[in-house]
Amino acid sequence: MPFVRRDPLKRLNVGLLAVAFVLSLFAGRLVQLQTIESGKYTELALRQRLQDITLPAGRGDITDAQGNSLAMTVEARGIFADPYIIKPEKRQQIASALAPILGQDPAQIMKVISRPNTRFQYLAHGVPPDQARVVTSLKFLGIGTLPEYRREYPNASLAAGVIGFVNGSGQGAAGLEYSMNSMLAGRDGWQRVEISPEGQHIPMGESQKKPPVPGRDLRLTLLRDLQFRAQEAIERKVRETGARSGSVVVMDPRNGQLLAMASAPGFDPNNYGKYPRATWGSPVVQEAYEPGSTGKVVTAAAVMEKGGVTRDTVFHVRDRIRKYDREFRDSHDHAPEDLTFAGVLAKSSNVGTIMASERIPKETLYHYLREFGFGSKTGIGLPGETAGQLKPPDKWWGTDRYPIAFGQTLSVNALQMASVYATIANGGVRVAPTLLAGTTDENGTFTPAPAPQSKRVISGETAKELRDMLEGATGREGTAPKARIEGYRVAGKTGTAQMVNPRTGLYHEGRYTSSFTGFAPADDPQLVVQVVLQDPREGGYYGGDVAAPVFKDVMTYALANRKIPPTGSKPPKVKIYARD
């Protein structure tokens, strides 16, 4: 049969119709993408390009009372990675090169730069600018730097237990850096920018920004030079005696301001990770101990206020006394002595103090201990402060009141004890210890801290009598002639208390807390110095032998530093023995 070609026009029309159908599908999809769903895909594309970058706030400085920097913020760099554009075959090279520069484990860097579906990951914070320049000189695709800040402590270990440090995450982790972190840190800002597929910032792209709010500066009451001298003195004495630790507090009794808070052993906050965690705090407020004979001054105040005892009241004192089933002793054997109450305090007689304490009920003794600050935190703002231990009278065992009277079976921190003597030095008015002088905002406006609370604890007459009696401790018949300062009248009290083993609750045999607390000039007190040594092993352990010389060193310097002249008055005649 002959082949008959069909109409070509029909075939053309069918082909054109098929092409038109396909084109209509494409057109419909384009209309869908560019009109109906354009907003969705525009948003997805923008979201893929947008990156949020934290703008760190400048951390506030910490200075001493004269504006000398104790903690400061300096320029630094943050190192970041864009894992999305880092080629897999380059990851090991990048990790191996950056690890020694940043002081990190190559495996950790490898883990960060291998994270999928992310365009921004921090590798390090607070990198010094010179190190950051080394990183950028390597020209690795996907590795960059951002400006930020780094914390520095220009005086190394000076006042480290008070200042603390900032950790690798930029957060305060000890001391005032921790407790005042929110005030010092300020509030970080942020910036949202467009990043190209090659990891470059698109200059004219989408950009939003919230500026950071800088932290406030803290001005402390500490004096850098006095802090240095106190720290040097206690570090030297800890080395000489082999003590476990030591501390020095210097305080102005008139306003409660702390002028020095030194402790040993310490640490360098610039390299805090190289030191044991136990050294990061301040034992001045964190370590509780039995005050021993320095606590007798509270009993003395109580019996003079409420027990009818005067400094000339005579007690027939033996070297030991039995109360119920317990025998209490003085620090050394001696023949019976007729001591005045001033003599009891000057010679630090446990037996004489017990005899005097029986003139008042135990509830009265407890009241005065509380009034002087025992059992309550000082509230100066340092973390980890202990309130010490002071049980209420209804929880005292039958014989507890006697060792409590001479400073045992209760505990305090060093600052609490310094505050007791500051109260006596200030005429019987307790001014709460204070460490913060004020704050300064980003405009340079200084706001002073609220005035510390004050409260009368004992009468001015009793306080004056106690000041005169405490001068006896530094006299020839007292326990601390090594605390005397040429040309100045000095008052104070030694303490030598047995240390408690926390595991057994019993006293450690042969281990002691040695202390001395005093003030000068005794007739016009302007400075209080408290010295504590925990477990001295060489050169004796009596407070008058190991703590009093540190007091003399620090107080002598402090008097000169504060330009406090001798009053020129003569010390009162304090009777030690009834025969005097």
Side-chain angles (χ1 to χ4, degrees), residues 18-89:
V19 170
F21 177 74
V22 172
L23 289 176
S24 69
L25 291 177
F26 281 116
R29 182 59 176 161
L30 286 173
V31 170
Q32 182 185 23
L33 292 174
Q34 295 183 0
T35 59
I36 300 174
E37 296 183 358
S38 62
K40 172 185 175 182
Y41 288 102
T42 300
E43 183 181 350
L44 287 173
L46 182 61
R47 191 181 301 169
Q48 190 175 35
R49 297 193 305 274
L50 284 178
Q51 295 293 327
D52 288 341
I53 299 174
T54 299
L55 301 178
R59 193 175 181 88
D61 291 347
I62 301 177
T63 69
D64 78 344
Q66 298 172 335
N68 298 304
S69 182
L70 300 174
M72 59 192 297
T73 298
V74 298
E75 183 182 353
R77 296 289 184 272
I79 310 299
F80 71 90
D82 182 349
Y84 181 80
I85 62 172
I86 296 176
K87 296 179 179 179
E89 62 270 20

Side-chain angles (χ1 to χ4, degrees), residues 7 40 86 96 113 191 196 207 269 331-332 346 382 396 411 429 502 531 540:
D7 186 354
K40 172 185 175 182
I86 296 176
S96 299
I113 64 178
Q191 185 174 15
S196 72
S207 180
S331 60
H332 60 280
L382 288 179
W396 292 3
S411 64
V429 176
V531 180

